[in-house]
Amino acid sequence: MGTTTPPRTLAEALRARGDESLAGLLRARPDLLTPVPNDITQLATRAGTRASVVRALEHLDRFALQTAEALAVAPDPAPYAVLLSLLTGDGLDDGEQHDEAGAAITAALPGALAALREQALVWGEDERLRLVRTARELLAPSPQHPSPTGLGPTVTEATAGMSPGRLQEILAAAGLPATHDPVSAVSALCALFTDRTRMAELLDSAPVEALSVLDRLVWGPPYGEVTPNPTPPVKWLRDRGLLLPVSTRTVVLPREAALHLRAGRAHRRPEPVAPVVAALAERDPQAVDRAAAGQAFTALSTIEELLKLWNGGGPAILRAGGLSVRELKRAANAMDATEPVAAFWIELAYAAGLLASDGESDERYAATPAYDEWLDLPAHERWTRLVTAWLPATRTAGLVGGQDAKGRALSALGPELDRSAAPDVRRRVLTLFAQLPPGTAPDPATLLERLRWERPLRGTARPAQGDRSGPSAAHFPGAGDRSATAADDASDLRSRLALWTLNEAELLGVTGRGALSSQARALLDEGPGAAAARLAPLLPEPLDHVLLQADLTAVAPGPLERPLAETLSVLADVESKGGATVYRFTPHSVRRALDAGQAATDLHAFLAAHSRTPVPQPLSYLIDDVARRHGHLRIGAASAYVRCDDEAVLNEILADRRSTGLRLRRLAPTVLAAQSDPGPLLEALREMGYAPAAESADGDVLITRAGARRTPPRTPPVPVPEGPPAPDGTLLGAAVRAIRAGDTAATVVRKEPAEGPSAPSAPGSLPRTTSAETLATVQAAAMTGSAVWIGYVNADGAASQRVIAPVRVEGGFVTAYDHTADEVRTYPLHRITGVAELVEEGTG
């Protein structure tokens, strides 16, 4: 800021930045804010830690990462021209395609460098570009972790420790003049490898087999294994320094030689431009919205069906947490869906807070009170509730059925399903959808390619966990071709998350026929309210009627009003779904309605009120027949007993062979006793064709209403963040002011006492003055309105340095504006260790 002196350290480079630039750094790397650094030096130190640098590298796009990788193998510091040459090549390649690629790189490089500078991964002027040391260590080549560029160590690094005699042999074989100075010998070899003319002459004299060996190593990995008696081509290369020993059995292609063979390029295929997401199909936007709305309505119905299934108490929770495979299959069959789709709906209901554990001793899943509140909302608002719960959720249903790191199966609602990258991938996928014209369905392959460019795989920055194989190496001779180190698509979590997002968005009605719906665009741009308003006209209006048919079925030509749907689901069984829902009346379903407290007259009145067609006679006969027999038998708890006013019915039951397992015996002419509980006895008699009813200890019929088991109030699961949350503008502004103030206190130039008992303070130490000197100095500063530097020890014993402007000194306290804290504070004088005046501008 106003100085022409180039920075010597990262701290000096950060100190020269403006406040907006510092805020940009903290916004891009929020981990640097926890806690807020005391000053610029501490900020620079934290920005260079391994964990922070790795996190920053993982958020670079592919070309910015390639730029950092090129700097890692460039001289330190590197001029801009050298960096550009490593990315474009030395310009000796022929072809118009190379010229176009070079122009694209030249145009994109300033932006990539700006991104690296903003994140404090690169600092320095264009003529002295420096990659932070930790990033260089992560990206530079080493025997344990080869460089992502595929380049090996320099000649200087590879020959470190090599005997002078061996160096002389290499110089002689390469046709270079002998020298007894090892440094000169290494310099001569470097000069040979970087001289295109002499290097071309050397390679022209190489055997064809030797050139084949170089072709296998040139793009990495640069290490190869050799036998104690290498083949003639390998020996020819080793004698001339084109292969240098790393160990007794490993050789490496030096960086300078590899760059010559690559025409000066650090990467085989630099990617300066983001891949374009191609269109797979162009569809009518209105058709897309209608298809998405239809699927949105299906999503609401599916969630209701799932929680209705578990209304009376859902499945038990596994000891390790989650849902058993058997229960997942049962839910999938009930929803007529595959197990992965069923797992998605279950996880979505859990993320939306509609489903949770009941907390009982025999823990089970059940609907929450929030589910009842959700049901009372209009359909379009219920949909936005689901989508807004899905977008930030870190629980990943696509993992269900896989295995964790220890080989254990991952279950739905289990504890190991959180993936912090999921929300970012979902948002990015939908943003790429939104960038296409309305009605455009993107090609999934190009979409995945774009996502990989934006966040490339970072195996280059960190070795894979559990990889103990050492350096990748080609084997000589007869060891086979070098295997690729790129991760398979199936193991790329971000790619799998993107594919799951495509499927889940279609299931939820966020997309329709592969294109983003207008309601989803409104959700991304304007919020849930606008999305609900867009969706509402597209959803069908609930109906208040059905069509009764003579074959004991009822047809609902569309969605039904909730009270009608709930009563009908008790009175009849759903036979088929689709544009219309078909319900079938059976003796079992009618008995279920009677068990819920309905009388035959109530059922007749209900059907007559809600049917657009006359009630068929067969249905009326079915209801009357089941009602006539319902409750004729009464079952209570003795263990259990059967009571009936008709002795003939009890005689019939005793004579039936199917009742043998119930172990019935007559206690009285109208009472039978059983050695089983009332529940199994009820089911057994119903299977025998009777219509028994349970009764209480008072002899009253027990009404079994459709259960509504609910958990205590529960909060939805909290997403697991990928890192610290993004700071807002207020926090960034306060943090920058605090860092600036702390830096002022740490770097301010202070006057040293010319004489007296106070000795000059060592750099970084607290000032020391006597109590009298302290009081006199702060009083003078209060009178003149000047600032002073103090050392202060708080009540906890923590020492700090501060720059304050005293306002008032009285009663043993000094009230001052603290430049470090950017506020007015009061300090006890006895806690001030010392004070020093600041050097005025233009003096000292």
Side-chain angles (χ1 to χ4, degrees):
M1 300 180 61
T3 178
T4 58
T5 304
R8 296 169 298 176
T9 63
L10 176 59
E12 290 186 5
L14 294 179
R15 192 169 287 120
R17 288 189 178 193
D19 288 352
E20 289 187 7
S21 180
L22 277 184
L25 167 62
L26 298 176
R27 186 182 297 108
R29 298 174 64 177
D31 57 294
L32 301 180
L33 269 176
T34 311
V36 176
N38 292 332
D39 51 39
I40 295 289
T41 301
Q42 190 176 90
L43 174 64
T45 302
R46 194 177 296 172
T49 58
R50 182 182 179 90
S52 182
V53 170
V54 167
R55 189 178 290 112
L57 290 175
E58 290 181 346
H59 286 77
L60 296 177
D61 62 47
R62 188 179 300 279
F63 187 61
L65 184 61
Q66 287 180 331
T67 302
E69 291 166 354
L71 276 174
V73 296
D76 187 28
Y80 183 90
V82 171
L83 174 61
L84 180 62
S85 176
L86 283 171
L87 292 169
T88 60
D90 54 19
L92 298 181
D93 283 357
D94 294 328
E96 184 177 337
Q97 185 176 1
H98 176 266
D99 294 339
E100 293 178 358
I105 293 171
T106 302
L109 184 56
L113 263 182
L116 293 172
R117 279 193 171 111
E118 181 187 30
Q119 300 200 39
L121 294 172
V122 170
W123 57 278
E125 304 295 329
D126 280 356
E127 295 308 312
R128 295 179 59 83
L129 294 171
R130 291 183 182 273
L131 188 67
V132 294
R133 183 179 60 186
T134 308
R136 179 174 287 273
E137 292 171 354
L138 288 166
L139 299 174
S142 70
Q144 289 73 30
H145 312 305
S147 166
T149 61
L151 292 169
T154 63
V155 172
T156 303
E157 295 166 344
T159 57
M162 183 178 290
S163 66
R166 177 66 186 127
L167 284 173
Q168 296 304 317
E169 293 174 0
I170 293 175
L171 293 179
L176 298 174
T179 176
H180 296 290
D181 181 13
V183 175
S184 301
V186 171
S187 299
L189 200 57
C190 290
L192 171 64
F193 292 161
T194 54
D195 187 320
R196 292 198 64 87
T197 302
R198 290 191 294 160
M199 189 66 173
E201 293 174 354
L202 178 63
L203 293 176
D204 287 342
S205 65
V208 175
E209 295 83 358
L211 296 178
S212 177
V213 170
L214 293 178
D215 288 341
R216 293 169 60 188
L217 296 176
V218 63
W219 290 108
Y223 296 91
E225 292 184 4
V226 295
T227 61
N229 296 312
T231 58
V234 174
K235 188 174 184 303
W236 190 93
L237 294 170
R238 192 181 64 177
D239 290 344
R240 287 155 181 79
L242 291 170
L243 292 179
L244 295 172
V246 175
S247 65
T248 55
R249 298 198 49 150
T250 305
V251 293
V252 65
L253 176 66
R255 187 182 307 171
E256 293 85 350
L259 285 173
H260 172 84
L261 296 169
R262 297 179 177 197
R265 295 195 300 273
H267 297 88
R268 174 177 288 183
R269 189 169 68 94
E271 299 180 58
V273 180
V276 177
V277 178
L280 183 65
E282 299 287 343
R283 311 192 191 282
D284 179 13
Q286 294 183 350
V288 168
D289 291 347
R290 290 193 297 269
Q295 191 55 47
F297 186 81
T298 302
L300 300 179
S301 302
T302 305
I303 293 292
E304 290 183 37
E305 184 179 355
L306 167 67
L307 294 179
K308 189 180 297 182
L309 176 67
W310 293 352
N311 211 18
I317 299 177
L318 295 174
R319 181 178 301 176
L323 200 64
S324 67
V325 175
R326 181 179 60 185
E327 294 293 350
L328 178 60
K329 289 181 178 179
R330 184 175 299 171
N333 291 334
M335 291 187 285
D336 193 22
T338 63
E339 291 174 34
V341 172
F344 167 68
W345 294 124
I346 292 171
E347 284 290 342
L348 178 61
Y350 179 62
L354 309 180
L355 174 68
S357 163
D358 61 10
E360 301 292 337
S361 56
D362 57 335
E363 215 170 3
R364 293 178 175 274
Y365 291 110
T368 65
Y371 170 62
D372 297 314
E373 299 173 4
W374 180 76
L375 281 178
D376 291 335
L377 296 173
H380 49 277
E381 292 185 19
R382 280 184 280 150
W383 179 78
T384 57
R385 287 281 185 94
L386 291 182
V387 177
T388 52
W390 170 67
L391 280 174
T394 55
R395 294 189 60 81
T396 308
L399 296 171
V400 173
Q403 293 184 335
D404 62 10
K406 297 182 179 179
R408 296 172 299 194
L410 296 172
S411 58
L413 300 177
E416 301 293 334
L417 295 183
D418 283 295
R419 296 295 182 270
S420 56
D424 178 65
V425 172
R426 288 194 198 104
R427 282 279 181 183
R428 191 59 197 143
V429 168
L430 296 183
T431 300
L432 291 175
F433 266 86
Q435 291 173 356
L436 298 173
T440 302
D443 178 13
T446 60
L447 184 71
L448 291 180
E449 186 180 355
R450 174 62 173 268
L451 290 174
R452 294 192 192 103
W453 185 90
E454 292 180 349
R455 295 284 183 86
L457 296 178
R458 294 322 196 275
T460 56
R462 288 180 291 183
Q465 186 176 3
D467 182 11
R468 299 189 180 94
S469 59
S472 302
H475 300 268
F476 306 116
D481 293 335
R482 172 175 58 85
S483 60
T485 59
D488 189 273
D489 287 352
S491 63
D492 177 6
L493 176 61
R494 291 185 66 87
S495 293
R496 287 185 292 157
L497 287 171
L499 292 174
W500 292 332
T501 297
L502 296 177
N503 295 333
E504 293 168 2
E506 195 74 17
L507 287 172
L508 264 175
V510 174
T511 59
R513 302 181 65 187
L516 193 67
S517 64
S518 63
Q519 51 266 30
R521 290 178 185 270
L523 178 69
L524 295 175
D525 298 336
E526 305 172 53
R534 290 284 186 91
L535 179 62
L538 301 173
L539 293 176
E541 289 291 334
L543 303 177
D544 62 352
H545 66 274
V546 294
L547 305 175
L548 295 178
Q549 303 187 109
D551 60 350
L552 297 180
T553 60
V555 177
L560 300 177
E561 293 179 346
R562 192 154 69 90
L564 172 59
E566 289 179 350
T567 304
L568 193 60
S569 65
V570 176
L571 180 58
D573 297 321
V574 175
E575 187 171 80
S576 65
K577 298 178 181 179
T581 304
V582 178
Y583 295 86
R584 178 164 294 279
F585 299 94
T586 65
H588 173 75
S589 67
V590 173
R591 187 180 65 244
R592 186 171 63 219
L594 296 173
D595 287 341
Q598 298 284 346
T601 55
D602 297 331
L603 299 181
H604 286 302
F606 169 79
L607 293 176
H610 292 95
S611 175
R612 287 289 177 88
T613 57
V615 179
Q617 267 193 343
L619 180 55
S620 297
Y621 290 160
L622 173 66
I623 293 173
D624 291 338
D625 183 56
V626 174
R628 178 179 53 81
R629 295 184 295 115
H630 182 263
H632 196 50
L633 292 176
R634 299 293 185 88
I635 294 177
S639 291
Y641 62 84
V642 181
R643 182 171 65 84
C644 182
D645 295 335
D646 189 346
E647 295 182 28
V649 174
L650 297 183
N651 292 335
E652 183 181 342
I653 292 174
L654 286 173
D656 196 320
R657 292 181 178 179
R658 292 175 294 177
S659 69
T660 305
L662 301 176
R663 302 175 67 183
L664 298 170
R665 64 186 179 88
R666 191 183 293 271
L667 295 181
T670 59
V671 180
L672 298 180
Q675 297 186 19
S676 63
D677 293 331
L681 181 57
L682 273 169
E683 294 300 324
L685 291 178
R686 285 170 178 169
E687 290 176 1
M688 293 168 62
Y690 300 96
E695 71 176 13
S696 67
D698 298 329
D700 298 325
V701 175
L702 291 175
I703 296 175
T704 56
R705 298 187 184 279
R709 185 173 181 178
R710 296 291 182 261
T711 70
R714 297 279 192 248
T715 57
V718 179
V720 178
E722 189 173 9
D728 58 21
T730 303
L731 176 59
L732 285 175
V736 169
R737 288 194 299 272
I739 293 171
R740 291 285 191 202
D743 200 55
T744 300
T747 60
V748 68
V749 181
R750 301 171 290 272
K751 290 183 180 179
E752 296 292 351
E755 56 183 13
S758 303
S761 302
S765 64
L766 296 180
R768 299 288 179 181
T769 57
T770 65
S771 299
E773 289 176 330
T774 298
L775 179 59
T777 305
V778 296
Q779 286 177 334
M783 293 176 62
T784 60
S786 58
V788 293
W789 175 60
I790 66 169
Y792 181 73
V793 179
N794 64 14
D796 297 326
S800 60
Q801 303 177 38
R802 299 176 178 275
V803 175
I804 66 173
V807 177
R808 184 175 62 252
V809 182
E810 61 183 9
F813 293 88
V814 54
T815 301
Y817 174 75
D818 189 330
H819 289 271
T820 308
D822 195 22
E823 64 182 7
V824 176
R825 289 185 175 182
T826 300
Y827 299 98
L829 284 170
H830 70 275
R831 294 195 177 276
I832 297 178
T833 64
V835 62
E837 298 178 58
L838 304 184
V839 175
E840 298 178 0
E841 293 185 8
T843 64

